[in-house]
Short mmCIF file of all heavy atoms in Angstrom, two decimals:
data_model
loop_
_atom_site.label_atom_id
_atom_site.label_comp_id
_atom_site.label_asym_id
_atom_site.label_seq_id
_atom_site.Cartn_x
_atom_site.Cartn_y
_atom_site.Cartn_z
N SER A 5 0.55 2.22 -0.86
CA SER A 5 1.34 3.46 -0.90
C SER A 5 0.72 4.48 0.07
O SER A 5 -0.42 4.35 0.49
CB SER A 5 1.32 4.04 -2.31
OG SER A 5 0.05 4.60 -2.59
N VAL A 6 1.54 5.49 0.40
CA VAL A 6 1.04 6.52 1.31
C VAL A 6 -0.12 7.28 0.66
O VAL A 6 -1.05 7.71 1.35
CB VAL A 6 2.15 7.48 1.78
CG1 VAL A 6 3.20 6.71 2.57
CG2 VAL A 6 2.78 8.23 0.62
N ALA A 7 -0.12 7.43 -0.66
CA ALA A 7 -1.24 8.10 -1.32
C ALA A 7 -2.50 7.28 -1.15
O ALA A 7 -3.60 7.82 -0.99
CB ALA A 7 -0.93 8.30 -2.80
N GLY A 8 -2.35 5.95 -1.11
CA GLY A 8 -3.51 5.06 -0.97
C GLY A 8 -4.20 5.20 0.38
O GLY A 8 -5.43 5.14 0.44
N VAL A 9 -3.42 5.38 1.44
CA VAL A 9 -4.07 5.50 2.76
C VAL A 9 -4.38 6.94 3.14
O VAL A 9 -5.16 7.18 4.05
CB VAL A 9 -3.22 4.83 3.90
CG1 VAL A 9 -3.05 3.34 3.63
CG2 VAL A 9 -1.88 5.48 4.07
N GLY A 10 -3.75 7.89 2.46
CA GLY A 10 -4.04 9.31 2.74
C GLY A 10 -3.30 9.81 3.97
O GLY A 10 -2.75 9.04 4.75
N GLU A 11 -3.30 11.14 4.10
CA GLU A 11 -2.54 11.75 5.19
C GLU A 11 -3.01 11.30 6.56
O GLU A 11 -2.22 10.89 7.40
CB GLU A 11 -2.64 13.28 5.07
CG GLU A 11 -1.84 14.01 6.15
CD GLU A 11 -1.97 15.54 6.04
OE1 GLU A 11 -2.81 16.02 5.26
OE2 GLU A 11 -1.24 16.22 6.77
N PHE A 12 -4.32 11.37 6.78
CA PHE A 12 -4.80 11.04 8.12
C PHE A 12 -4.69 9.56 8.42
O PHE A 12 -4.39 9.15 9.53
CB PHE A 12 -6.24 11.56 8.32
CG PHE A 12 -6.31 13.06 8.26
CD1 PHE A 12 -7.08 13.69 7.28
CD2 PHE A 12 -5.60 13.84 9.13
CE1 PHE A 12 -7.14 15.08 7.19
CE2 PHE A 12 -5.64 15.24 9.07
CZ PHE A 12 -6.41 15.86 8.08
N GLY A 13 -4.89 8.72 7.37
CA GLY A 13 -4.71 7.28 7.54
C GLY A 13 -3.28 6.94 7.92
O GLY A 13 -3.01 6.12 8.79
N LEU A 14 -2.35 7.64 7.27
CA LEU A 14 -0.93 7.39 7.54
C LEU A 14 -0.57 7.84 8.95
O LEU A 14 0.14 7.14 9.67
CB LEU A 14 -0.07 8.12 6.48
CG LEU A 14 1.41 7.76 6.49
CD1 LEU A 14 1.62 6.28 6.25
CD2 LEU A 14 2.16 8.58 5.43
N ILE A 15 -1.09 9.00 9.33
CA ILE A 15 -0.82 9.49 10.67
C ILE A 15 -1.36 8.51 11.72
O ILE A 15 -0.68 8.19 12.69
CB ILE A 15 -1.40 10.91 10.86
CG1 ILE A 15 -0.58 11.91 10.04
CG2 ILE A 15 -1.44 11.32 12.33
CD1 ILE A 15 -1.17 13.32 9.95
N ALA A 99 4.62 10.29 -2.88
CA ALA A 99 3.28 9.72 -2.74
C ALA A 99 3.25 8.22 -3.03
O ALA A 99 2.36 7.50 -2.55
CB ALA A 99 2.29 10.45 -3.64
N ASP A 128 4.34 16.10 11.51
CA ASP A 128 3.55 16.48 10.35
C ASP A 128 4.02 15.62 9.19
O ASP A 128 5.16 15.18 9.17
CB ASP A 128 3.73 17.98 10.05
CG ASP A 128 2.72 18.51 9.05
OD1 ASP A 128 1.67 17.86 8.84
OD2 ASP A 128 2.97 19.58 8.47
N MET A 129 3.15 15.40 8.24
CA MET A 129 3.54 14.64 7.04
C MET A 129 3.03 15.36 5.82
O MET A 129 1.97 15.96 5.83
CB MET A 129 2.89 13.27 7.07
CG MET A 129 3.43 12.40 8.15
SD MET A 129 2.94 10.69 7.88
CE MET A 129 3.06 10.10 9.56
N SER A 130 3.82 15.25 4.76
CA SER A 130 3.38 15.78 3.46
C SER A 130 3.95 14.92 2.36
O SER A 130 5.00 14.31 2.53
CB SER A 130 3.86 17.23 3.30
OG SER A 130 3.50 17.71 2.01
N ALA A 131 3.28 14.89 1.24
CA ALA A 131 3.90 14.32 0.05
C ALA A 131 4.97 15.31 -0.44
O ALA A 131 4.86 16.51 -0.24
CB ALA A 131 2.86 14.10 -1.03
N ARG B 65 3.43 22.45 -3.30
CA ARG B 65 2.27 21.84 -2.65
C ARG B 65 1.66 22.82 -1.63
O ARG B 65 0.44 22.96 -1.58
CB ARG B 65 2.74 20.58 -1.92
CG ARG B 65 1.68 19.76 -1.26
CD ARG B 65 2.17 18.34 -1.03
NE ARG B 65 2.10 17.55 -2.22
CZ ARG B 65 1.03 16.81 -2.59
NH1 ARG B 65 -0.05 16.80 -1.83
NH2 ARG B 65 1.05 16.10 -3.68
N HIS B 66 2.52 23.51 -0.88
CA HIS B 66 2.02 24.48 0.13
C HIS B 66 2.34 25.91 -0.23
O HIS B 66 1.81 26.83 0.39
CB HIS B 66 2.65 24.18 1.50
CG HIS B 66 2.38 22.80 2.01
ND1 HIS B 66 3.24 21.76 1.85
CD2 HIS B 66 1.31 22.30 2.68
CE1 HIS B 66 2.72 20.67 2.39
NE2 HIS B 66 1.56 20.97 2.90
N SER B 225 -6.96 25.10 9.84
CA SER B 225 -5.93 24.98 8.80
C SER B 225 -6.43 24.09 7.66
O SER B 225 -6.03 24.27 6.52
CB SER B 225 -4.63 24.44 9.38
OG SER B 225 -4.87 23.27 10.11
N ASP B 226 -7.31 23.16 7.94
CA ASP B 226 -7.83 22.27 6.89
C ASP B 226 -9.18 22.75 6.38
O ASP B 226 -9.71 22.18 5.42
CB ASP B 226 -7.98 20.83 7.42
CG ASP B 226 -6.62 20.20 7.79
OD1 ASP B 226 -5.63 20.57 7.15
OD2 ASP B 226 -6.59 19.36 8.68
N GLY B 227 -9.76 23.73 7.01
CA GLY B 227 -11.13 24.17 6.69
C GLY B 227 -12.02 23.97 7.91
O GLY B 227 -11.83 23.02 8.66
N ALA B 230 -13.80 20.53 8.20
CA ALA B 230 -12.87 19.45 8.48
C ALA B 230 -12.31 19.57 9.91
O ALA B 230 -12.23 18.58 10.65
CB ALA B 230 -11.72 19.43 7.47
N HIS B 234 -12.67 17.19 13.33
CA HIS B 234 -11.69 16.67 14.28
C HIS B 234 -12.18 16.86 15.73
O HIS B 234 -12.04 15.97 16.57
CB HIS B 234 -10.32 17.37 14.14
CG HIS B 234 -9.71 17.22 12.77
ND1 HIS B 234 -9.69 16.03 12.08
CD2 HIS B 234 -9.06 18.11 11.97
CE1 HIS B 234 -9.06 16.20 10.93
NE2 HIS B 234 -8.68 17.46 10.83
N ALA B 273 -15.14 25.61 4.07
CA ALA B 273 -14.21 24.50 3.82
C ALA B 273 -12.81 24.98 3.45
O ALA B 273 -11.93 24.15 3.22
CB ALA B 273 -14.76 23.60 2.70
N GLY B 317 -15.13 19.30 1.22
CA GLY B 317 -15.07 19.35 2.67
C GLY B 317 -13.73 19.50 3.34
O GLY B 317 -13.66 19.88 4.50
N GLY B 318 -12.66 19.25 2.69
CA GLY B 318 -11.43 19.28 3.43
C GLY B 318 -10.20 19.19 2.56
O GLY B 318 -10.22 19.59 1.41
N TRP B 319 -9.19 18.62 3.09
CA TRP B 319 -7.90 18.72 2.45
C TRP B 319 -7.05 17.54 2.90
O TRP B 319 -7.00 17.24 4.08
CB TRP B 319 -7.24 20.06 2.89
CG TRP B 319 -5.90 20.27 2.29
CD1 TRP B 319 -4.70 20.17 2.93
CD2 TRP B 319 -5.61 20.63 0.94
NE1 TRP B 319 -3.67 20.45 2.05
CE2 TRP B 319 -4.20 20.74 0.84
CE3 TRP B 319 -6.39 20.84 -0.18
CZ2 TRP B 319 -3.55 21.06 -0.35
CZ3 TRP B 319 -5.74 21.17 -1.38
CH2 TRP B 319 -4.36 21.27 -1.44
N ASP B 320 -6.39 16.85 1.99
CA ASP B 320 -5.51 15.75 2.33
C ASP B 320 -4.21 15.94 1.58
O ASP B 320 -4.20 16.05 0.37
CB ASP B 320 -6.18 14.43 1.93
CG ASP B 320 -5.36 13.23 2.40
OD1 ASP B 320 -4.13 13.26 2.27
OD2 ASP B 320 -5.96 12.29 2.93
N HIS B 321 -3.13 16.00 2.31
CA HIS B 321 -1.84 16.36 1.69
C HIS B 321 -1.24 15.25 0.84
O HIS B 321 -0.19 15.43 0.23
CB HIS B 321 -0.84 16.82 2.75
CG HIS B 321 -1.16 18.17 3.28
ND1 HIS B 321 -1.63 18.38 4.55
CD2 HIS B 321 -1.15 19.38 2.68
CE1 HIS B 321 -1.88 19.66 4.71
NE2 HIS B 321 -1.59 20.29 3.61
N PHE B 322 -1.87 14.09 0.79
CA PHE B 322 -1.35 13.05 -0.11
C PHE B 322 -2.27 12.83 -1.32
O PHE B 322 -2.03 11.97 -2.13
CB PHE B 322 -1.17 11.72 0.62
CG PHE B 322 0.02 11.76 1.51
CD1 PHE B 322 -0.12 11.79 2.89
CD2 PHE B 322 1.28 11.78 0.98
CE1 PHE B 322 0.98 11.82 3.70
CE2 PHE B 322 2.41 11.81 1.77
CZ PHE B 322 2.25 11.83 3.15
N ARG B 323 -3.36 13.62 -1.41
CA ARG B 323 -4.28 13.37 -2.51
C ARG B 323 -4.40 14.56 -3.43
O ARG B 323 -3.89 15.62 -3.12
CB ARG B 323 -5.66 12.97 -1.98
CG ARG B 323 -5.61 11.52 -1.55
CD ARG B 323 -6.89 11.05 -0.89
NE ARG B 323 -6.80 9.62 -0.61
CZ ARG B 323 -7.42 9.02 0.42
NH1 ARG B 323 -8.13 9.72 1.25
NH2 ARG B 323 -7.30 7.73 0.59
#
Side-chain angles (χ1 to χ4, degrees):
Chain A
S5 73
V6 297
V9 298
E11 181 181 9
F12 296 119
L14 190 59
I15 289 171
D128 192 18
M129 293 194 204
S130 177
Chain B
R65 184 161 280 269
H66 301 96
S225 52
D226 294 331
H234 300 317
W319 180 254
D320 186 317
H321 287 110
F322 287 109
R323 281 175 176 150

